[in-house]
Amino acid sequence: MEDQSAQWPIGRLLAAASRAVEREWDERLRAIGLQHAALIALDIALRTGPTGADVIARTARVQPQTMSRTLERLERDGMIERSPHPEDGRRRLVTVTEHGRRMWDTARHIEREVLPDDPELRARLGAIVAGVRRSDPDEVLAPDM
């Protein structure tokens, strides 16, 4: 049977392409013992430096309870450490360990293998995402990886 995808409406094509890339990326992340949600949390923690789980959850646009479960797995797997906040004993700071940094770096290489950077595609997709954010302020989108 002949592939008809070139004739699909652009929305269907974009959705199918997104699912295909996400499946491949998720499969390769699982192979190294990392989930996509964990990668997002690592990325945020690396970009912000030691910070609270609440900041990571808010930045990832997920509920604190959801992020708490992700951080528990990351801590169990030795990718983050949580320590008392120096100014607020009720809070804990999340810090990425050297193992977590290596896993993040490996994941970045996997991402580039699955979908090499293409500046034109990046610009067009960025415009689409920005348009969605303007039209729906409640849209939940992960931060840039």
Side-chain angles (χ1 to χ4, degrees):
M1 188 162 148
E2 183 178 329
D3 181 12
Q4 299 292 316
S5 60
Q7 298 172 13
W8 291 353
I10 193 76
R12 181 176 173 197
L13 190 57
L14 182 58
S18 175
R19 283 191 306 273
V21 169
E22 189 170 8
R23 269 194 308 271
E24 176 70 18
W25 194 21
D26 284 346
E27 185 177 302
R28 301 223 13 224
L29 287 175
R30 271 193 310 279
I32 65 166
L34 197 60
Q35 294 178 333
H36 189 241
L39 178 57
I40 290 170
L42 284 174
D43 187 69
I44 294 167
L46 282 167
R47 291 175 191 272
T48 62
T51 192
D54 58 328
V55 172
I56 297 172
R58 191 171 41 256
T59 304
R61 297 184 181 179
V62 299
Q63 294 296 316
Q65 298 86 342
T66 301
M67 185 53 67
S68 178
R69 288 188 296 273
T70 299
L71 294 176
E72 286 170 9
R73 284 190 302 273
L74 284 169
E75 186 174 34
R76 179 197 68 214
D77 295 342
M79 291 185 239
I80 65 161
E81 293 175 342
R82 292 192 270 189
S83 57
H85 192 285
E87 296 151 11
D88 183 351
R90 299 169 295 168
R91 297 180 62 210
R92 298 181 69 186
L93 289 178
V94 175
T95 305
V96 178
T97 65
E98 199 51 46
H99 174 57
R101 188 176 296 280
R102 285 192 307 271
M103 292 295 283
W104 177 86
D105 192 48
T106 299
R108 296 284 293 164
H109 289 292
I110 290 171
E111 181 182 17
R112 287 192 283 280
E113 289 171 2
V114 170
L115 189 63
D117 195 33
D118 176 329
E120 183 180 339
L121 179 59
R122 175 181 292 280
R124 295 184 86 168
L125 292 173
I128 291 169
V129 170
V132 168
R133 284 185 177 149
R134 278 194 301 275
S135 66
D136 185 359
D138 294 328
E139 178 70 19
V140 177
L141 298 170
D144 297 336
M145 292 301 301

